[in-house]
Amino acid sequence: MGTPEFAVGSLKRLVENGYNVVAVVTQPDKPVGRHGSVLRASAVKEYALSQGLPVLQPVKMKDPEFLEQLRSYRADLQAVVAFRMLPEVVWAMPRFGTFNVHAALLPQYRGAAPINWAVINGETKTGVTTFFLDHDIDTGRIIMQREFAIPDDANVEYVYDGLMDLGAGICQDTIDLVISTDGNVPSQPQDESVELKPAPKIFKETCEIKWNSRAKTIYDFVRGLSPYPGTWTTLSPKAGDAAPSVLKVFRTAKTGNQAVCGAGTLKAEHGRPYVAAADEWLEIVELQAAGKKRMAARDFLNGFKDIDDYKVG
């Protein structure tokens, strides 16, 4: 059970290694285009169909027709990767239960966007966890965990790709453990005594850069949302009533140079733009202006006579 590309890694690993995948469950096709007249299949559906696997796409997980269909496959085990919350009638159906592959080291980063938030928070490591589903989201008994290092210059795409591969491996190994123990898998309860860091869903307003933050905080924030969905800020002239334009920021660089002016102040040096954070100057390396393609920030500067006349945020 899964929907995005991240889940394809695990499904592909099982198919290529000869596991008996009896069916695939994914989200309904999503309307796209200006009028929503075109339906786009999920990455999981596209791969499943290419392998001749049956695909179920329930709108509601408690739909009687879907439940009857799911039961007809008589699955021994269900594997969930980046899908949705399941009702008990679904996760308790197989004789060996249902496990989830979560892209974090639980109990940390429970929620919809664990990879983004680990990078945003400046973590030096994250990982993947398999656990048995129960009544609450991401709280079940842990089966396995694997760690993954996050370099200081890595963006979320790098971590996503690494965890997709690591997740595929832990998915396969968890299934092997279930088979070898005939379902009597050793598992551990999650540690609820630690201070938990959440990973809530990310919205457009989540992605706005707060320039009155420390430079390291902004640096991590940008790479934690790059390349998708991308952080953003506004650019407007200091004088006049011109409406601000939106800039997406995809990459920054720390300078270590103290900023003694107000946060959001812009300057250019040697053809490179810099913005003052609460403590230091931060170089803008890559961005995208409204209606333009993603570009190097120094190319963006060519359109300005004097960047000092503008401000961000």
Side-chain angles (χ1 to χ4, degrees), residues 24-284:
V24 171
V25 183
T26 190
Q27 294 278 48
D29 294 357
K30 185 178 180 181
V32 295
R34 181 174 297 179
H35 304 292
S37 57
V38 178
L39 295 177
R40 177 179 294 167
S42 71
V44 163
K45 179 181 178 180
E46 289 181 349
Y47 178 77
L49 292 179
S50 76
Q51 300 300 311
L53 298 173
V55 176
L56 308 181
Q57 296 178 273
V59 175
K60 296 181 179 179
M61 299 302 292
K62 291 184 179 180
D63 178 73
E65 186 177 340
F66 162 68
L67 294 175
E68 184 179 351
Q69 232 183 335
L70 191 60
R71 285 193 191 94
S72 72
Y73 289 104
R74 302 180 64 186
D76 295 301
L77 178 67
Q78 290 174 161
V80 178
V81 187
F83 191 43
R84 58 194 284 190
M85 187 174 182
L86 303 181
E88 183 175 2
V89 67
V90 173
W91 57 256
M93 192 179 293
R95 66 188 182 110
F96 293 149
T98 301
F99 76 89
N100 186 87
V101 178
H102 188 72
L105 297 174
L106 291 173
Q108 298 298 351
Y109 298 109
R110 293 170 177 166
I115 305 176
N116 298 96
W117 286 107
V119 181
I120 288 170
N121 288 338
E123 302 286 2
T124 57
K125 71 175 181 180
T126 183
V128 289
T129 302
T130 52
F131 66 94
F132 284 115
L133 265 64
D134 62 13
H135 293 95
D136 298 314
I137 297 177
D138 300 336
T139 60
R141 294 178 65 88
I142 291 174
I143 306 167
M144 292 182 181
Q145 288 190 320
R146 305 254 168 90
E147 293 186 355
F148 182 84
I150 305 177
D152 183 65
D153 60 348
N155 66 9
V156 76
E157 183 176 44
Y158 171 90
V159 183
Y160 181 99
D161 290 344
L163 292 186
M164 180 166 62
D165 184 64
L166 200 62
I170 202 172
C171 181
Q172 180 180 357
D173 291 346
T174 298
I175 291 174
D176 288 345
L177 182 61
V178 171
I179 293 170
S180 67
T181 60
D182 197 32
N184 297 309
V185 177
S187 58
Q188 302 295 325
Q190 296 187 31
D191 184 0
E192 300 289 346
S193 66
V194 296
E195 183 179 351
L196 298 180
K197 300 174 184 177
K201 188 175 180 179
I202 290 170
F203 299 94
K204 181 181 178 180
E205 54 269 26
T206 312
C207 303
E208 183 179 7
I209 299 172
K210 309 297 184 186
W211 294 106
N212 58 354
S213 305
R214 296 174 63 86
K216 176 65 164 63
T217 300
I218 298 171
Y219 171 80
D220 291 335
F221 183 69
V222 170
R223 64 193 185 97
L225 293 166
S226 179
Y228 182 82
T231 59
W232 63 273
T233 188
T234 55
L235 175 71
S236 56
K238 293 177 181 177
D241 298 324
S245 60
V246 174
L247 292 180
K248 276 197 167 185
V249 180
F250 293 101
R251 189 153 60 98
T252 64
K254 294 173 287 184
T255 66
N257 297 325
Q258 184 180 3
V260 293
C261 51
T265 300
L266 275 165
K267 73 172 182 178
E269 287 184 357
H270 307 294
R272 296 180 178 183
Y274 297 85
V275 181
D279 55 346
E280 297 175 359
W281 288 100
L282 198 64
E283 181 186 353
I284 307 300

